[in-house]
Amino acid sequence: MSSVTKYLVYGPQDTLRRMIPKMFESIEPKYIYKYDSDANKDQVYVAVYEQFEKQINATITLTCIVECTADQNRIELKKAGGRMGFRGSSLSEDKNIESDIVDFIMDFSKRFGLSLQEEVAKPKKEEEDEKESS
């Protein structure tokens, strides 16, 4: 099981810079890496969250990649692990770590007046059609 969700958050630079450290403070990741660019003051964070789900006896891993630039935060959430199929694909009624992160992003954006936009990936068929027509 693997899924990717992408968000773009727009707003004042000071508020955008404050968002990600607050997120990591409120929902602490298992591993975290931070890169600061000297050239243009951009920041890149990579955080890994792990959550064990007793109901399906599997660990779910969420990798959170955040690119902080002067005018936006680009957040990419990649969920992996767990089990699929008959045994437990729909048993997950408890809040999982991905929904906690998404709730934080939406709450912080709403509270501080930031613009939140979810990036929707194009279906592969459309991408192939665009390449052929070029």
Side-chain angles (χ1 to χ4, degrees), residues 47-59:
V48 178
Y49 294 91
E50 286 185 350
Q51 181 179 34
F52 181 75
E53 292 194 8
K54 291 181 185 178
Q55 294 174 329
I56 61 174
N57 193 26
T59 300

Side-chain angles (χ1 to χ4, degrees), residues 8-127:
L8 293 173
V9 184
Y10 299 97
Q13 184 176 6
D14 293 339
T15 308
L16 290 173
R17 297 285 176 174
R18 204 173 42 212
M19 177 184 192
I20 302 307
K22 284 287 187 191
M23 183 173 75
F24 293 149
E25 183 181 305
S26 101
I27 307 167
E28 194 170 327
K30 184 162 186 164
Y31 304 102
I32 189 168
Y33 171 77
K34 178 183 176 188
Y35 169 77
D36 287 314
S37 171
D38 295 332
N40 52 9
K41 305 290 186 211
D42 289 351
Q43 297 174 326
V44 177
Y45 295 89
V46 178
V48 178
Y49 294 91
E50 286 185 350
Q51 181 179 34
F52 181 75
E53 292 194 8
K54 291 181 185 178
Q55 294 174 329
I56 61 174
N57 193 26
T59 300
I60 292 177
T61 304
L62 180 72
T63 304
C64 179
I65 302 168
V66 182
E67 299 170 16
C68 300
T69 61
D71 59 342
Q72 73 178 12
N73 283 353
R74 184 173 185 279
I75 303 166
E76 186 172 320
L77 303 173
K78 178 163 177 46
K79 185 177 175 184
R83 292 194 181 177
M84 293 195 58
F86 180 75
R87 234 194 115 200
S89 59
S90 64
L91 279 177
S92 187
E93 294 174 8
D94 294 337
K95 281 193 74 141
N96 61 19
I97 194 69
E98 184 177 24
S99 64
D100 289 344
I101 297 290
V102 171
D103 287 348
F104 179 88
I105 293 168
M106 290 182 178
D107 182 52
F108 191 93
S109 298
K110 188 182 288 185
R111 189 178 315 151
F112 292 100
L114 303 175
S115 297
L116 177 67
Q117 176 181 348
E118 183 173 357
E119 271 189 46
V120 181
K122 292 182 183 177
K124 293 194 185 279
K125 177 117 176 82
E126 287 182 25
E127 289 177 5

